Amino acid sequence: MWAAKLRQWRIVVKEAVDRTVIVAKFLCFLHITNTYICFPTLVYGPSMLPTLNMKGDVLLSERVSHRLGKVEVGDVILVKSPENPLKTLTKRVAGMEGDRITFLVDPRNTDISATVVVPKGHVWIQGDNIYASKDSRHFGPVPYGLIEGKAFFRVWPPDEFGVLGRCLQ
């Protein structure tokens, strides 16, 4: 009787350990995927209108391209804000190192433009809606090291589900 209960107990413990190992492996897989490969992000605000919705889009972003130097003009990227490192900005790459960028200094109030050359190791980012975007026009070129990922797929809203375009608008 005691041996039968011990056998039953061992079976239950073995099953619990097996299931715990499966859950732990799954959580490790999610951690590795989210940290090094791909992650979801909620993007909202007017700076990327009309490409992204003001009330919020859920995008999938990958963390590999910028580490391999595969970011190009026209890509939508996620960048750690140079002004507030607790914020992440979603903007479009408008220029790479060595590019000459001409932009309106204050598009709401004047037609005055300025020209800059993007320094080595930096990118020039701008929102698609230049009237409501705080971007490289305000804080200058962004160091390549602040890039967190490249957005490539819209998950939400369902009617706009699909691959994000690369064109500048």
Side-chain angles (χ1 to χ4, degrees):
M1 181 162 140
W2 206 164
K5 286 198 179 230
L6 184 59
R7 253 184 265 124
Q8 233 178 0
W9 181 248
R10 281 185 182 173
I11 291 170
V12 169
V13 169
K14 183 179 178 341
E15 184 70 25
V17 168
D18 288 346
R19 290 184 184 221
T20 302
V21 167
I22 289 170
V23 169
K25 285 179 180 179
F26 179 70
L27 291 175
C28 287
F29 173 75
L30 284 180
H31 172 72
I32 296 296
T33 301
N34 190 50
T35 304
Y36 299 107
I37 301 171
C38 178
F39 64 100
T41 187
L42 174 63
V43 178
Y44 58 91
S47 72
M48 285 298 289
L49 283 172
T51 305
L52 301 176
N53 296 309
M54 190 160 151
K55 295 196 178 196
D57 288 350
V58 176
L59 306 177
L60 283 181
S61 302
E62 51 91 5
R63 297 184 190 268
V64 179
S65 291
H66 72 281
R67 292 182 177 143
L68 299 176
K70 302 283 186 193
V71 174
E72 301 173 353
V73 172
D75 289 341
V76 176
I77 61 172
L78 282 79
V79 178
K80 205 52 108 178
S81 171
E83 295 178 324
N84 180 0
L86 299 176
K87 290 178 81 175
T88 299
L89 308 175
T90 305
K91 305 290 179 194
R92 192 175 299 277
V93 176
M96 302 297 291
E97 62 182 56
D99 289 352
R100 181 178 299 277
I101 305 293
T102 301
F103 61 96
L104 294 175
V105 177
D106 186 7
R108 287 180 186 252
N109 301 320
T110 182
D111 288 338
I112 297 173
S113 63
T115 301
V116 297
V117 175
V118 181
K120 184 177 174 112
H122 290 69
V123 293
W124 187 270
I125 58 171
Q126 284 185 230
D128 289 352
N129 180 3
I130 64 168
Y131 300 104
S133 180
K134 193 163 188 185
D135 47 36
S136 287
R137 294 172 297 131
H138 299 93
F139 45 73
V142 176
Y144 212 80
L146 293 181
I147 299 175
E148 292 185 342
K150 181 166 89 171
F152 67 94
F153 202 84
R154 185 188 337 247
V155 178
W156 189 265
D159 59 322
E160 295 181 35
F161 184 85
V163 177
L164 282 179
R166 283 194 58 246
C167 62
L168 286 170
Q169 295 182 353

